[in-house]
Amino acid sequence: MRNEEKKAEDNVSMVIQFVLLGFYDLPNLQGLLFTLFSIIYMIILIGNSLLIILTRLDTQLLQKPMYFFLANFSALEICFVSVTMPRMLKNLWTQYRIISKLECATQMCFFHTLGATECFFLATMAYDRYVAVCKPLHYPVVMNHKSCIRLAIAAWISGIPVQIGQTCQVFFLPYCGSNRINHFFCDIPPLIKLACGDTSLNEMCVYLVVVFFVFAPFFLILGSYVKIIFTILKMPSATGRFKAFSTCSSHLIVVLLFFGSISINYLRPKSSHSPLSDKMFSLLYTIMTPLFNPLIYSLRNKDVITALKKLFLRKV
């Protein structure tokens, strides 16, 4: 560890900066991890940006509400992964892991705000599928342009006040011991471990926030898909059933990966927590979900593939 990191760690009277240890326990794999995560980050940026560009350029196939929400979701994924990945890549490349208290608080606030937004966007997209499949005659009226914009704005801003409050609550805790965060980004559980004094209120708030921002949208999604499945099973056409199942299964893959990994990571008992497991579960919802989003929604969607072919042929 560098001299600057040792100096920062020795400051036990008042912690003013932290050390993001990241994957320090894999010293021989730093170069490989940097290359791997750099490639993944580029795929996420290119894939999600391409979906946004397609929905903007295609004026026929990709102008449905589903693709409006998908474009917003892709933009969200770019923002979400960019909160943690650039800093992680910098730490892997330079091995300089110090982060100021303000930078740490900013990263944590943006990360959890965008995470809450993602939960509500997934619920909104499930509601869109529910109306499209279960109430197709009412779909143009219920999911009109103004309604879509309102739902998108609500999803973007819903988590801001709560997450700002939670961030302030965590960073008002006294930090007077070790400042080494055994994680690759500033997250609430590893920071609470470093705090001095009683943190029971903070831990209770984490559970309450997870229940509101994770469980509530998840059960809304689950209820929507139960009704969707029953409606699909009643369809007389086998082709229609297959198309509906294909579209909905794509959404469910993202939902299960995202909500499942978050729930396990934040709601596990303390005894089952370990730095390695925390990092592994965090990688699932910080990196794998943004990576799979463009792959699932593009490779399993005929309209997106058709629009991509049209764009390619136009350029050629």
Side-chain angles (χ1 to χ4, degrees), residues 127-181:
Y127 176 69
D128 172 72
R129 291 298 84 210
Y130 161 73
V131 178
V133 175
C134 301
K135 300 182 179 180
L137 297 179
H138 296 91
Y139 186 70
V141 178
V142 176
M143 301 302 294
N144 59 65
H145 187 62
K146 286 185 179 180
S147 297
C148 292
I149 291 176
R150 288 170 184 167
L151 287 169
I153 292 174
W156 277 104
I157 68 174
S158 56
I160 293 175
V162 174
Q163 298 305 337
I164 289 176
Q166 191 172 40
T167 301
C168 292
Q169 186 188 42
V170 170
F171 280 88
F172 281 155
L173 289 169
Y175 293 94
C176 53
S178 173
N179 66 341
R180 302 173 66 185
I181 302 174

Side-chain angles (χ1 to χ4, degrees), residues 270-282:
K270 279 186 174 181
S271 57
S272 63
H273 274 267
S274 70
L276 179 60
S277 64
D278 288 348
K279 292 173 191 176
M280 292 300 103
F281 282 116
S282 296

